[in-house]
Amino acid sequence: MANEKLRAAEFEGTPKRHFYTGRRVTRARSIEDLRARAHKLMPRFVLEYLEGGSGQEATLRREREAFAEWRVMPHTLVDESNRDCSADILGRKAALPLAIAPTGLNGIFRRHGDIALAKAAAQGGVPFIQSTMSNDPMERVARIPGLRHWWQLYVFGPDEIWQELVARADKAGCEALVLTTDAQIFGQRQWDKRGRTEIGLPRIPNLLNAASHVRWLATTLSGGLPQFSNVRDFVPKDRRSFFDTANWIREQMPRSLSWGDVEKIRQRWKKPLFLKGLINLDDVERALGSGADGIILGTHGGRQADWSVSALDILPRAREIVGDDKALYMSGGIRWGSDIIKARTLGADVVLSGRAMLYGLCAYGTDGVSRALEILEAEVLNEMGQYGVPNLQSLSRDLLVPTRDLPLTEKA
Ligand SMILES: Cc1cc2nc3c(=O)[nH]c(=O)nc-3n(C[C@H](O)[C@H](O)[C@H](O)COP(=O)(O)O)c2cc1C
């Protein structure tokens, strides 16, 4: 987050602000503390994978800038004694309008990272979306008590593969299917690639750097490299090394994935179906007749198309198009409670959070993810109090003003 505009107000002189990076999870006060500790503990190649965007990282930057372009005009003299930030997600109450986003290779952040994320989601009362490229078997994740378990589908190889994954997700009790549509051609993540060999192995300086991160070695690699448990059997035996499996799967992703495939998947999957990675308003309109139950706007965390608009940028227009007919979610750039409030106000039913949760995972495992959820929930509740909004239903557009309209000179 190099952009100065986005930094906490840090005026010339003292005191110099520092983040907490120590061992006591309860002392982490913001997602930025968790991030700072993740940066302290993770080796370089892991951080490149976690933080990197594609190309010039213009999309990645936009994800945060877009939030900074909205200011709040708080209401006052509103009864704030009983604030409530719970939300309806697929007809059931969730603690927050948030789901943990699907992220692949979680085992490289922490051994059994998927299980850690899922446990924290179950404890925190929000859904967990497990990635096709996850490391823990979906059936094991599904056994976590109280979990709202969703499955994210990447289409690769022949149709039988997605058909089998969808059948397994159904049998494991997954509540919803999220079809990712924006990654059939892998993004140009140069920072990540620069540090790796052709088959994806970290280069020697990165291996040495990893070897010097003893706490990461202990918490992550003590049982050896993680496996892509859910897809490994589809991969040819000579391509099953940890680093090569991901390459092989990317090679097998059909570049021709289309609305016709959405229809085919819709026919097989009877529970709620979401399309993830839409960022063009024509596509949003097209999705209305696709049979999908919901749309997740987003840019894959700035990791695919460069120079893209962010989900927040198109949210109000997307909501106008979708109306109340379908669920409209967004992903990208959520780091603060105020981000969630802005996204809800601009039209999102639910936000997906990727890196904020992963910072917690890298920093303290399950406890860190729980802390990330607690922090966001506490921030939303506090900020709702500051903004004069007792519950999410009371959010209305007059709360927000785009910075380009400031100072307000004309009657709106
Ligand atoms: C490390 C990492 C791995 C990801 N892996 C996947 C994935 O396997 N499937 C998917 O649909 N999206 C994936 N994404 C995108 C996230 O689901 C989500 O859209 C994005 O992280 C949101 O932005 P945020 O990180 O700013 O919250 C990944 C993102 C990150 C940071």
Side-chain angles (χ1 to χ4, degrees):
M1 240 130 292
N3 193 329
E4 283 307 307
K5 211 166 66 170
L6 304 175
R7 293 189 61 82
E10 196 176 30
F11 299 107
E12 291 283 311
T14 56
K16 178 99 187 115
R17 272 86 188 270
H18 295 286
F19 295 114
Y20 177 74
T21 60
R23 286 165 181 266
R24 290 177 54 192
V25 64
T26 48
R27 289 190 56 192
R29 295 280 161 212
S30 72
I31 299 296
E32 291 295 336
D33 290 310
L34 299 173
R35 179 173 190 248
R37 182 166 165 87
H39 281 219
K40 180 168 143 183
L41 297 185
M42 294 296 110
R44 189 179 170 81
F45 86 97
V46 172
L47 286 178
E48 294 290 18
Y49 169 66
L50 167 65
E51 296 285 32
S54 57
Q56 298 168 59
E57 299 189 319
T59 304
L60 183 66
R61 269 196 306 282
R62 183 71 206 154
E63 304 263 84
R64 290 294 306 144
E65 279 167 3
F67 283 100
E69 287 179 10
W70 291 94
R71 287 274 163 170
V72 180
M73 294 186 287
H75 293 282
T76 188
L77 299 174
V78 175
D79 182 358
E80 290 290 352
S81 9
N82 294 308
R83 296 185 308 284
D84 176 12
C85 66
S86 65
D88 180 293
I89 302 187
L90 295 183
R92 288 172 60 193
K93 188 169 164 171
L96 264 177
L98 180 146
I100 298 188
T103 52
L105 278 77
N106 292 329
I108 205 73
F109 305 121
R110 193 84 168 196
R111 195 162 139 76
H112 298 308
D114 300 298
I115 293 195
L117 286 158
K119 276 189 180 160
Q123 284 158 18
V126 297
F128 166 65
I129 312 174
Q130 188 177 357
S131 165
T132 296
M133 298 304 287
S134 53
N135 298 118
D136 291 313
M138 77 162 94
E139 290 76 9
R140 236 188 109 188
V141 171
R143 285 202 295 273
I144 293 168
L147 177 66
R148 297 186 66 176
H149 189 197
W150 298 13
W151 182 256
Q152 177 263 322
L153 180 69
Y154 276 133
V155 173
F156 66 95
D159 283 0
E160 290 73 29
I161 294 185
W162 69 255
Q163 287 168 0
E164 189 177 323
L165 286 169
V166 162
R168 269 177 65 193
D170 187 31
K171 196 155 165 241
C174 290
E175 188 185 2
L177 186 74
V178 173
L179 171 66
T180 296
T181 62
D182 63 354
Q184 295 308 106
I185 296 174
F186 195 65
Q188 307 188 72
R189 305 177 199 167
Q190 286 93 340
W191 286 108
D192 192 14
K193 273 196 191 141
R194 218 167 258 135
R196 298 180 189 236
T197 65
E198 286 315 304
I199 61 157
L201 209 72
R203 291 189 182 279
I204 289 167
N206 269 345
L207 284 176
L208 294 175
N209 172 272
S212 70
H213 286 74
V214 281
R215 262 181 294 186
W216 171 77
L217 287 172
T219 53
T220 310
L221 291 196
S222 50
L225 280 170
Q227 302 286 339
F228 291 99
S229 318
N230 295 295
V231 293
R232 198 166 176 268
D233 290 349
F234 303 121
V235 180
K237 288 207 168 62
D238 62 334
R239 305 281 310 262
R240 281 189 188 168
S241 72
F242 173 71
F243 291 105
D244 207 19
T245 299
N247 289 338
W248 184 84
I249 289 177
R250 282 170 203 150
E251 288 162 19
Q252 306 307 311
M253 291 187 159
R255 277 45 174 163
S256 56
L257 190 77
S258 69
W259 293 100
D261 297 298
V262 174
E263 237 170 77
K264 284 196 268 175
I265 292 166
R266 172 71 290 179
Q267 279 161 18
R268 288 246 164 184
W269 177 261
K270 306 295 175 207
K271 296 184 232 173
L273 171 68
F274 288 83
L275 301 182
K276 176 172 185 282
L278 273 58
I279 198 70
N280 179 293
L281 291 168
D282 287 343
D283 291 349
V284 170
E285 200 155 356
R286 179 80 172 73
L288 295 180
S290 69
D293 303 282
I295 295 165
I296 306 174
L297 302 175
T299 68
H300 216 102
R303 297 158 83 82
Q304 288 295 113
D306 202 10
W307 292 102
S308 167
V309 295
S310 79
L312 200 79
D313 287 325
I314 63 163
L315 197 47
R317 285 283 298 116
R319 177 47 86 188
E320 273 172 29
I321 293 169
V322 170
D324 292 330
D325 285 358
K326 285 198 193 303
L328 182 64
Y329 295 6
M330 66 78 75
S331 91
I334 299 289
R335 303 288 184 273
W336 297 89
S338 57
D339 299 335
I340 299 176
I341 296 176
K342 287 178 182 177
R344 270 290 294 215
T345 309
L346 294 172
D349 296 311
V350 169
V351 304
L352 265 55
S353 172
R355 292 184 184 84
M357 301 296 125
L358 295 179
Y359 297 148
L361 177 68
C362 294
Y364 305 98
T366 307
D367 291 348
V369 185
S370 290
R371 186 72 185 146
L373 288 169
E374 264 168 34
I375 286 171
L376 289 180
E377 185 176 342
E379 285 177 356
V380 169
L381 279 176
N382 182 287
E383 216 69 273
M384 282 168 65
Q386 308 301 336
Y387 296 168
V389 182
N391 52 48
L392 297 179
Q393 294 66 43
S394 317
L395 288 169
S396 65
R397 272 297 297 276
D398 65 316
L399 188 68
L400 295 183
V401 58
T403 50
R404 67 168 181 275
D405 292 351
L406 296 175
L408 293 179
T409 49
E410 285 168 29
K411 196 172 184 307

